[in-house]
Amino acid sequence: MIVDKANAALDSVYGADTPETLAEAYAAWAATYDSETASLGYLLPFLITAWVARHVLSGEGPLLDAGCGTGLSGPSLKALGYGDIAGLDLSDDMLKIAGSRNAYNELKQAMLGGLLPWPDGHFRAFFSTGVFTISHAPASGLHELVRITRKGGHAIFTVRDQVFESGGFQAVFDELEQAQKWRLVEQSPWFRCYAIAEPDALVKTFVFEVL
């Protein structure tokens, strides 16, 4: 069954213990990622567009889809009037599929947690879903994302419940606030990231204004 395949793929990416094994897991999953995550009712790439539209006026940019995967968010944002979108992901195989959607102006292979290939203040906003989760990007990656976002811009991203405390996210939030790099604008309640499967898998969306 497609759901069983999707659950097996999730186990593979959540079980990755190095960036290299995570990249390999996504390379193996890339071709069937869209259909299998759809079978689970994966909401986040589409739902994040609501927060983007709430805080970024239509047509403003550029935007960064940080951890864009196969680029599921791009076409939805393009339909909403956002025409200047860049994407980054650690998987070249996923990026190839994202490029086929004709919704991104720029796609780069990069890993959150390391240096990112854009200058200070380049983006109007960044958004990220399903990336700050089990065995994925570290909370420390937010420092670089904030660096490449302009003052007055926005940081819009989800964090999985299982890593929020263990991954030190609140500490990074506090560091950036105390350094006057950002301020909290809104946060959602915890909610399900899969409409069909994994009822206990919860995320929260955070929106910060970069200062």
Side-chain angles (χ1 to χ4, degrees):
M1 289 178 58
I2 191 170
V3 172
D4 293 333
K5 290 182 179 179
N7 284 325
L10 279 176
D11 289 342
S12 179
V13 297
Y14 288 156
D17 55 2
T18 67
E20 290 75 21
T21 56
L22 183 61
E24 289 170 4
Y26 274 114
W29 196 12
T32 57
Y33 177 88
D34 294 349
S35 60
E36 290 177 4
T37 56
S39 75
L40 302 175
Y42 188 46
L43 301 170
L44 299 184
F46 315 105
L47 190 57
I48 199 68
T49 61
W51 277 283
V52 173
R54 182 181 292 172
H55 295 282
V56 182
L57 292 175
S58 177
E60 288 189 353
L63 307 179
L64 174 65
D65 188 348
C68 63
T70 61
L72 290 172
S73 297
S76 297
L77 284 166
K78 187 175 181 180
L80 290 168
Y82 300 93
D84 191 357
I85 311 170
L88 74 83
D89 201 83
L90 85 166
S91 169
D92 285 328
D93 297 84
M94 303 286 265
L95 286 170
K96 288 174 185 174
I97 297 172
S100 73
R101 299 188 190 280
N102 298 315
Y104 294 88
N105 293 350
E106 178 183 30
L107 290 167
K108 291 190 177 184
Q109 194 278 332
M111 184 169 296
L112 293 175
L115 294 176
L116 298 179
W118 289 283
D120 294 359
H122 182 75
F123 290 102
R124 166 63 180 81
F126 78 83
F127 62 95
S128 185
T129 64
V131 173
F132 295 110
T133 188
I134 302 162
S135 298
H136 282 55
S140 61
L142 289 165
H143 287 281
E144 267 291 279
L145 287 168
V146 168
R147 178 188 68 78
I148 62 175
T149 303
R150 70 185 60 157
K151 292 181 179 180
H154 289 84
I156 304 167
F157 57 94
T158 63
V159 182
R160 177 74 183 269
D161 58 342
Q162 286 184 253
V163 302
F164 184 76
E165 290 190 14
S166 64
F169 280 86
Q170 189 60 58
V172 172
F173 289 4
D174 293 344
E175 287 172 12
L176 287 163
E177 183 177 4
Q178 289 163 9
Q180 298 185 331
K181 298 290 188 180
W182 72 6
R183 69 174 186 89
L184 182 65
V185 176
E186 69 166 307
Q187 59 181 304
S188 74
W190 294 103
F191 64 92
R192 289 178 60 174
C193 49
Y194 299 101
I196 298 170
E198 302 282 337
D200 297 326
L202 303 178
V203 298
K204 181 179 283 194
T205 300
F206 294 91
V207 180
F208 290 86
E209 180 185 0
V210 175
L211 302 176

